[in-house]
Amino acid sequence: MTAAQTVEMIWGDPMIVASRVLRNVITAAHGKILYVGDYASIESRATNWIAGEQWALDAYAAGTDMYKLNASQIFGVPYDQIGKGTQRQVGKVAELALGYNGGIAAFATMAKGYDIDLETLPAFVLPGANEAELEKARATAKLYLSHAHGSMSVDAAMSCDLIKQRWRTGHPDVTRFWKMIHEASVEAVRDPSIVTEYRGVHFRKSGNFLCLQLPSRRILYYYAPQIVTEMVQGVNEDGTTYQWEATKLIFMGVDSTTHQWTRQDTYGGKLTENIVQALSRDLLANGMLNAERAGYEVVLSVHDEIVSETAEDFGSVEEFEKLICRLPHWADGLPMAAEAWRGKRYRK
């Protein structure tokens, strides 16, 4: 029996096993130690901060479990009664999937990634819904399933939409941010003589580019922007469907799936994703510089994680956490948090 066959017999697919232990191959040099800091829910914190969702910022600052808080709002169950089971998982997926104007598809895709069986959701979600919520969810579910035949049952799609409805109701400032950012971008493209702004995000047309300036003053560029309109279907609060003329911003860029240079479209939710992920990167870079200046030599970054290498007798986990969470002046009020550890071998 080969080594690969032995691994497969005991642990499963050798390639999957290898990928799981790949991090552990990275070790500190002789006489050195690794400090690793992982930012906690950085995109959620940045989304609520840039949108001005003050109750969420206060909750994060107080150390409240945001996923349990979401679950409490979604299911109408007291916060203290939310355990670590399905309800909290739904609250987690809602926070991760819905912050960028996602709907049924966004929630369902991420839920599957967290091993949530969509067909179990109706028993948790539907009984607590009022008639208006149900009518809107039913119409939205049917509209969604007309383009995604067989992907899930009507009840499961309704449950996903009800979760979306309640998340948006609980996050009015984030929902408003999508709309206002979209309008600001469109106005800037239509009139190159003006600069538009919403909550510290500025737009202006400069030559062939739409320039989006972040609160950090870094600029994102969208090449060859144009404004187009198209007819789309929507669902009213009473569950009736309607058609309306939607304004879309299109630009040239590399498609993340095909890797081809092509025309793409964007909207308030996707622009919010660009803004938040760019801000999260700027916060990560700021944390790396803070660590470097204090003697924690940065050797690696992975997503929202900073890895430094120092002498074994240098520093402390507490100091490292404080350094990487020290905010730049432009991010005042953002409730940063990180969990750090030190050790010889890198791990998740």
Side-chain angles (χ1 to χ4, degrees), residues 36-295:
V36 184
D38 187 2
Y39 287 110
S41 306
I42 188 170
E43 285 194 41
S44 172
R45 292 168 189 265
T47 299
N48 285 296
W49 175 78
I50 195 65
E53 200 71 73
Q54 193 58 51
W55 70 264
L57 301 180
D58 293 342
Y60 271 128
T64 305
D65 185 329
M66 182 58 68
Y67 303 151
K68 287 177 62 175
L69 201 54
N70 280 336
S72 177
Q73 294 175 346
I74 290 168
F75 296 107
V77 175
Y79 175 87
D80 293 339
Q81 293 182 21
I82 303 293
K84 292 187 176 182
T86 300
Q87 289 182 326
R88 184 180 182 278
Q89 280 291 83
V90 167
K92 179 177 183 177
V93 171
E95 190 68 20
L96 298 176
L98 303 180
Y100 303 138
N101 201 12
I104 294 175
F107 182 87
T109 299
M110 188 160 288
K112 290 176 182 177
Y114 280 85
D115 295 322
I116 294 176
D117 182 352
L118 298 177
E119 299 302 330
T120 66
L121 292 179
F124 290 95
V125 180
L126 298 185
N130 61 47
E131 193 57 36
E133 289 177 323
L134 288 171
E135 286 301 320
K136 185 174 183 180
R138 186 174 292 108
T140 305
K142 289 180 178 178
L143 184 61
Y144 169 75
L145 291 173
S146 69
H147 304 289
H149 303 285
S151 59
M152 66 186 80
S153 68
V154 173
D155 281 354
M158 286 178 62
S159 299
C160 293
D161 188 71
L162 282 166
I163 290 167
K164 177 207 74 179
Q165 288 184 46
R166 291 175 182 176
W167 190 92
R168 291 185 182 181
T169 298
H171 295 76
D173 291 302
V174 173
T175 305
R176 185 180 302 111
F177 187 81
W178 305 330
K179 178 177 182 292
M180 299 302 292
I181 284 295
H182 177 76
E183 291 179 357
S185 67
V186 168
E187 189 178 356
V189 173
R190 282 179 170 164
D191 187 351
S193 69
I194 64 172
V195 174
T196 59
E197 182 271 341
Y198 185 67
R199 291 199 56 80
V201 178
H202 295 77
F203 292 91
R204 65 182 174 89
K205 178 90 181 316
S206 178
N208 289 325
F209 292 92
L210 170 65
C211 303
L212 183 164
Q213 187 179 64
L214 303 163
S216 63
R217 305 196 63 81
R218 188 158 65 94
I219 297 176
L220 308 182
Y221 294 90
Y222 299 82
Y223 179 65
Q226 294 180 13
I227 304 302
V228 299
T229 58
E230 66 174 15
M231 297 304 295
V232 298
Q233 273 193 301
V235 178
N236 291 308
E237 291 299 323
D238 62 2
T240 58
T241 58
Y242 65 97
Q243 283 196 324
W244 60 291
E245 190 176 66
T247 302
K248 296 176 65 175
L249 170 63
I250 61 175
F251 65 98
M252 295 299 294
V254 177
D255 186 281
S256 61
T257 302
T258 65
H259 305 294
Q260 298 296 309
W261 181 254
T262 185
R263 186 155 294 283
Q264 303 181 57
D265 64 86
T266 190
Y267 54 93
K270 193 178 290 186
L271 287 169
T272 300
E273 181 179 31
N274 295 162
I275 292 165
V276 168
Q277 292 187 348
L279 285 176
S280 298
R281 175 266 171 201
D282 290 348
L283 291 166
L284 177 79
N286 177 75
M288 292 168 71
L289 291 172
N290 289 343
E292 283 273 1
R293 293 189 191 103

